[in-house]
Amino acid sequence: PVARLAVPSGAAAAPVAASTCCGIVWSPHEEGVLASCNSDSSLHVWNLVKVGRCGDLPISPVHSLAEAHGAKPAVCALAFSPAASSVLASIGGDGALCAWDLRAGGPSPTVRAASAHNGGGLCLAFAPRSQGILVATGGHDGLAKVWDIRRLGGPPLVALRAPVDERPGNAGAVATAAARLASGDSAAKAIGMLSTAASAARGALPAVESLTW
């Protein structure tokens, strides 16, 4: 590998593999910047350009958030805002959608939707033409929801139930739903197609596992 990433553990550095890595995303704003989320509820941001090529030496993160979603729930997915390089959103096994401003440097999210999904969240994606305002989430409750990230204390703008093809031979299916979104102010107006991939065992509630705008 070009680089090995390690997270701090006391005085020593522990490999990221010490906890399961649930997701990695590259920043769309800065070359060499990426973020990872993990099963131990931690979230880390790395800058490969700043540290340069280090061979086999592990690279430490430039930002770390321990217990981002509480003491136990995993951070299941994360994404950089397409409009602000310092803003990250994450969805966790606790069902919470969090928005983080890395400039604040604190352990608490800037804003938080305490119960985005019953049973836990699985995925999220920013709408590409919404100036970083609209974010979609999916979870174990079989719902895809679209949120105004500035108003996470309130209800979602829309909630879509993902259908699943339960015909014989189809344990899961790709479900597509059109989400026509129009917020009250012009900055948030967006009309888009939101595609969700949902799967479920026969007779069980489908889980929304991925989202694509």
Side-chain angles (χ1 to χ4, degrees):
V2 174
R4 290 192 302 123
L5 308 181
V7 297
S9 176
V16 171
S19 65
T20 302
C21 183
C22 300
I24 295 177
V25 292
W26 289 98
S27 169
H29 306 282
E30 299 178 75
E31 181 183 358
V33 173
L34 59 91
S36 69
C37 56
N38 304 289
S39 61
D40 63 358
S41 200
S42 64
L43 186 157
H44 307 283
V45 179
W46 321 78
N47 190 324
L48 305 186
V49 173
K50 276 188 176 181
V51 297
R53 191 183 180 97
C54 297
D56 283 338
L57 294 177
I59 298 171
S60 296
V62 292
H63 295 284
S64 288
L65 294 167
E67 300 185 1
H69 282 259
K72 292 183 179 180
V75 184
C76 300
L78 76 167
F80 281 96
S81 165
S85 62
S86 64
V87 175
L88 274 171
S90 64
I91 190 80
D94 57 351
L97 168 63
C98 298
W100 310 87
D101 188 338
L102 300 177
R103 295 171 300 181
S108 299
T110 306
V111 287
R112 179 184 177 98
S115 55
H117 292 278
N118 293 327
L122 289 171
C123 55
L124 82 167
F126 278 96
R129 293 180 295 277
S130 70
Q131 301 177 21
I133 291 171
L134 300 181
V135 61
T137 62
H140 283 289
D141 54 6
L143 293 173
K145 299 181 180 182
V146 180
W147 308 83
D148 183 328
I149 203 168
R150 302 166 302 177
R151 303 183 180 95
L152 290 187
L157 297 177
V158 64
L160 306 170
R161 172 70 64 182
V164 171
D165 187 349
E166 291 191 353
R167 290 174 297 178
N170 286 298
V174 174
T176 301
R180 295 181 66 87
L181 310 172
S183 180
D185 65 78
S186 59
K189 286 183 180 178
I191 296 176
M193 182 74 74
L194 178 65
S195 297
T196 67
S199 67
R202 189 168 181 81
L205 193 68
V208 177
E209 298 172 338
S210 65
L211 295 156
T212 305
W213 284 96

